[in-house]
Structure formats: C-alpha cells, structure tokens
Amino acid sequence: MTIEQKYDVVIVGAGIGGLYTALNLPRNMNVLLICKEDLNSCDSMLAQGGISVLPHDDDYEAFFEDTMRAGHYENNPENVEIMIRSSRAVIDHLIDLGVEFDRNDDGSLKFTKEGAHSRPRICFYKDITGKAITTVLQDRVKELPNVTVMEYTVMKDILEENGVCRGITAKRGEDLYIFRAADTVLATGGIGGLYEHSTNFPSLTGDAIKLAEKHDVQTEHLDYVQIHPTSLYKDEPGRSFLITESARGEGAVLLNSKGERFTDELQPRDVVSKAIFAEMKKEGTSHVWLSFRNVPEEDILTHFPNIRNTCLKAGYDILKEPIPVVPAQHYFMGGIHVDSDSKTTMEHLYAVGETSCNGVHGKNRLASNSLLETLVFAKRAADKIARGKEAKSMNNITMTLAADKFIRLALEEDINSEDVTTNCVMPGYKKGQVQLICKQDGVLAGLSVFQRVFTILDPETKFEYFAKDGDDVKKGQHIATITGDIRVLLSAERTALNYLQRMSGIATYTSQVCKMLEGTGTTLLDTRKTTPCMRIFEKYAVKVGGGANHRYNLSDGVLLKDNHIDAAGGVRDAIAAARAYAPFVRKIEVEVENMEMVKEAIEAGADVIMLDNMTPDEMAEAIRFIDGRAETECSGNMTKENVLTIAKLGVTYVSSGALTHSSPILDLSLKHLRAL
C-alpha cells in the first residue's frame, strides 16, 4: 500500500540530533520523526565519556586549540567557535529538560579530562552520558503534541523537485510512504554498520550519504574515519563494547603483553590507535591491555559502573586485572557538507550529527565533542527552519524601505561630525572583535536592527549569533560575536545597543504579560502609544514577545473613539459614516464608556466594542450583554498588575500602551573588544 502524508518538517533519525531538532522547532509546526529500528537503537545511547563544555571564558583559547590540534588543523574555525561559544547554553538547556550530570559537593558540575584535552572540561553522568541525555530527550519529544514518531521506518529516497527537497519516501513493513515536507532533516548517524568491527549499531550504514550522492548533494571527507583506541576485545565479529576515553583520562594505562606501558594514553585518538596497532604488530598479538590500577576503586565504582559490569560479564574484573582492548571503527568525521546552520547544498534539506560534515572535527574528532557538536548544530538547523516559517525577522525590503531612514537619523544624531574619542585611540583601520553579552534575563528582539546599525557604516562587518529574536536569554549569556573595523565597532555601539535594549525590553515585558494570559483565550494587543520614529521597531518587539500588532497607524483601520463619536453626533451616526466612507474595511471598532453606548453600538452593527476606562464590574456586565454578538476589547491603564483580572471577564482582546511606552530596557552590553 502507498500512503501519502504531509508535514512541515520530516526528521530522519531519532538519536540526539533528530530529537534535539524536533525539540527546538516551533510548536505550531507539524513534525514527523522516523527511525530505522526502535528508538533505543541509536548510537547516541552508547556514548559513555561525556560532553565537552566551556567551563569559563578563560578556557576558550585552550578549548579551541585542543579541538584544532586533534583535527590536524583541518577544522572549520568559524564552526568550532560556534560550537564552543554555544556549549554552556546547550548544557543549561539539557539540565532544564531534566538531564542529570555528576556534580561536586557544592552542586557545581563535575568535569573530567579525556585524551587530547589540555584540562578538565567534560561533564558526564557516570559512564552512560549518552543514555542519560538521549532518554530525557526521548521523554520530552514524546510529550510534544506536534511531533509524530514512527519506528521501524526506513528512508528509501529523497523527494526532489527542480533541485529542491520536498520530503522523502520510506518503507515500513510492506507499506510505502510518501512523506511530503517543506523541510527535511537527515540525522541518520554514521557508517559503523559497514565495518566488521565497530562500536556502532549495525543499522548505521550511511543511508543518507548514499542518497545525497545520488542527488548530487555535496559530500566531503568521506575517508575521514576515526578509530577508537579502546574497545573490549572479543573473538567474534559484531558491535564492539567501547571503553570510554574517560578511563584513560582518570588514570587507566595501556600495557603490552609484558605488562609494559608503551605510549602516552592522552594523545589524540588517531595517535593512540596507531601506537596500539604498532605494538600489536611488534608483538604479534591481537590486542593490548588496559589497566585501571592507577584509578581509585571508589572512582571506578561511581564513574565507570557500566564498564565494570560489562567486563565482569566477559570474565574480567577491572578492580583486579587489566582487560584486553583493541582499536575499532568508532566515528565518521566526513559526510554531507553543511553550513553553520546545518543546511546542505540542496534547498530545504538539512543534515545534523554524524551524517553531516560542518568541519568542526577536522580530520580527527576531539573526545566528547561529538554530543556537543550534534546538539549545537541540530538547534541551529531548527532555528534556521523556524526563521523561514515565522515572520520574526525584518526582511531586507522592510529594513531598507521602512527602517533604514530611522537608523541613519539615529546614527547622525549620535556621531554628528565625528566620533572624537574613537578617532583619538584608533585613527586608522584595524580589524577587531567584540562580544554581545546579556546582563539580565529576558527575551531578545531586534538583532536585525542591531546588525544594520553596524553594516550601514561598514557592510563588511561580520556577525556570528548564538541566539535569535524570541529566545529567552540569561544573565551572562554570550549572544553574538561581531567582527570588523574597530572604529565602526566603537562608533556604532551606543546606537545599536539603544535599539536592541529597547526592543528586547518590550519583548520581555510583552512575554511576561502573554504568559499571564495563557489559557484565558484573551489576545494581547499593542496600541499606537509608541515612541516617535520607533513604532516599526517597538511593534515588531511586541510581536516577538508574543503579542499582536493592533493598528499600525491612522490609515490602518477604523477605530471610533470618543471625540470621533462626538464629531459625528453619536455612536450610530459614527458607525454609519464609517461604513459609507470605507465600505470595504474589515472591522469597525467603537470605543464605549457606558452600557447605553454598548447597546447603541450593538444595534448599529459594530464589529469590535472597546470597553474603555470602565470598572471591572461594568465590563463584566457589558460582556454579558454583548454575548458574542461582537468582539470585545478592554483598554485603559492596562498593566501586568490588572491584566489577568480583566482577561478572566471573558474579553476577546486586551490592549496595552504600557507594552511600548512603559517597558524597561533589557540590559545588554558589548564587551571584550580585542584586536585581531
């Protein structure tokens, strides 16, 4: 049977890449998540050691260098920076979702060290970190009403129309499915199933990569395969049990058949693997030995309980004796070429996780960067898809026609003839970089305006974002890195921050009010009470915060207020005049102040009745009388303190000028300027 279904997004693969993509997509998107086997048969479940994170800013340079050195400097440095800078936000989100990590006595995250890491920066949960993360992500995805999960469903092909991905075809049992989708995400994992000895599940056979090549989607570095130095040796073929690199990071050592140490265990994986192969060839053996004699017994029992239990089943007690280990295929650094948003060379086709190649790992992956890289760039894929679906960014036309003139005036107002201070310290061009930092919790809005301030002065200014408009941001969070002429970075700073702080403050206030209204059925509207020459920016910020824009200007609808009614001679005459002058207007709204005016407005056929400056009891009486014959709106001194009380009366809309004229700014700052 052939079955055709339509979704907003189809995700192929249910490891952490597929799961985290689904979790970060908007809830109004209809999402399908399929997997080849059951949900638990994904390599994400097998990750033992942990997940890298930037523990503090002082570690950035070392973390960056460790990643580059392990990758033989063939990494994409821009994407390495994105991964590292985004790491703490990802860990914080995992914790918020319910993921547990080992902690110190004071409650802080406990960090361990693995091969090629110059210092401890890996957080973990015992020796089953992958399982700890994956099971929580599975639970959270199962709670989403907009996500459908189909197990035992095998992708057969990509649906391509004129070079654009339109979904996939798949088989489930005897049925053929045609899944049409606006966007498709490939998260099918690696290629371990093609090898005789691998730490991967046998089902990982590079399916997405084969289809990418079939459809001329760019792939790269297909020969970059990582061999893990230590898997538990066994005679028969099949999936090999991984012995995490954390074991060597905590002091386990490699021994030859004579019980002699023969290499530095904390070198990059490819270096250690080569040393093991050389020792095996030298001695004519099929494995070497890994000894835990230098690891305290308590650490073994708390950090490596799964490894100990598995080795016991194989006949070895790591508390008492070394275990036989041999290198095995473990990870694939190549794959489908993607950009920093996980977008492939085919429109509306994305790839995340091990099946993709964004250049983060270079020629050889640094230990524990795989989980982090997958999560960071899965979120970026989801964000990119969401940006294509939601009107939450100003497009180039709007920016040029409506916003540019105001931004230019603001720059002229601030700079005037010159920036004297900047010209004192920086008389000529010098390339530099500065970070946008959040100084208090809130909702971000206005990044496109912030960016435009700089690019008007210098179109070559570059931006790397670690958050987007509409995101909840936290105090201390790194929002973006801006690179360009230091003179521009200094001169544009205040104007750019004025816009961003003001817009983010409005979005934050709006979001707070919207959360109060959740479940009431009442919609929050803004008003025309905006700062002169800031309306386009402030109303945009309301929309980002979750509110709705109400009447952009006087040509945008009919709202008959008290003075209009007086000028026309009464409510009935005002409505009649509006219908005669603007017969095609969608809705006529009338402002009323008492029950007599309410009754007159209903009789005259008003579409929306604004109950202005009435007491809650008077509003309740009016709403009961209107009884659905018109929409209702409450206005006048509407704030966070009284909005919920009004909403509970059953009103259709509440409109609040406080959203735009009373919102405090969100404190954001440009910090850590440095020359490049």
Side-chain angles (χ1 to χ4, degrees), residues 1-4 156 169-178:
M1 179 186 296
T2 300
I3 303 169
E4 185 165 342
K156 304 304 291 184
T169 61
K171 287 273 290 189
R172 190 185 194 197
E174 297 300 317
D175 294 329
L176 174 67
Y177 283 84
I178 300 173

Side-chain angles (χ1 to χ4, degrees), residues 87-155:
S87 61
R88 193 59 194 237
V90 164
I91 296 300
D92 289 344
H93 188 212
L94 292 179
I95 293 170
D96 289 343
L97 291 172
V99 176
E100 293 185 21
F101 293 104
D102 280 25
R103 295 183 179 270
N104 298 306
D105 292 340
D106 63 0
S108 62
L109 289 172
K110 182 180 287 187
F111 297 110
T112 187
K113 179 180 175 183
E114 295 186 359
H117 283 270
S118 58
R119 61 188 69 177
R121 63 170 71 94
I122 298 163
C123 53
F124 59 94
Y125 180 71
K126 299 180 181 179
D127 56 351
I128 53 169
T129 306
K131 184 177 181 181
I133 295 173
T134 307
T135 52
V136 169
L137 296 186
Q138 287 177 348
D139 291 343
R140 298 293 85 79
V141 166
K142 290 174 183 176
E143 294 168 357
L144 297 178
N146 65 308
V147 178
T148 301
V149 178
M150 290 179 62
E151 298 177 297
Y152 303 105
T153 306
V154 182
M155 176 175 62

Side-chain angles (χ1 to χ4, degrees), residues 423-441:
N423 291 342
C424 288
V425 299
M426 190 60 58
Y429 172 84
K430 189 171 185 61
K431 188 176 182 181
Q433 195 171 80
V434 70
Q435 295 178 5
L436 176 63
I437 305 296
C438 185
K439 299 180 73 175
Q440 64 182 124
D441 295 354

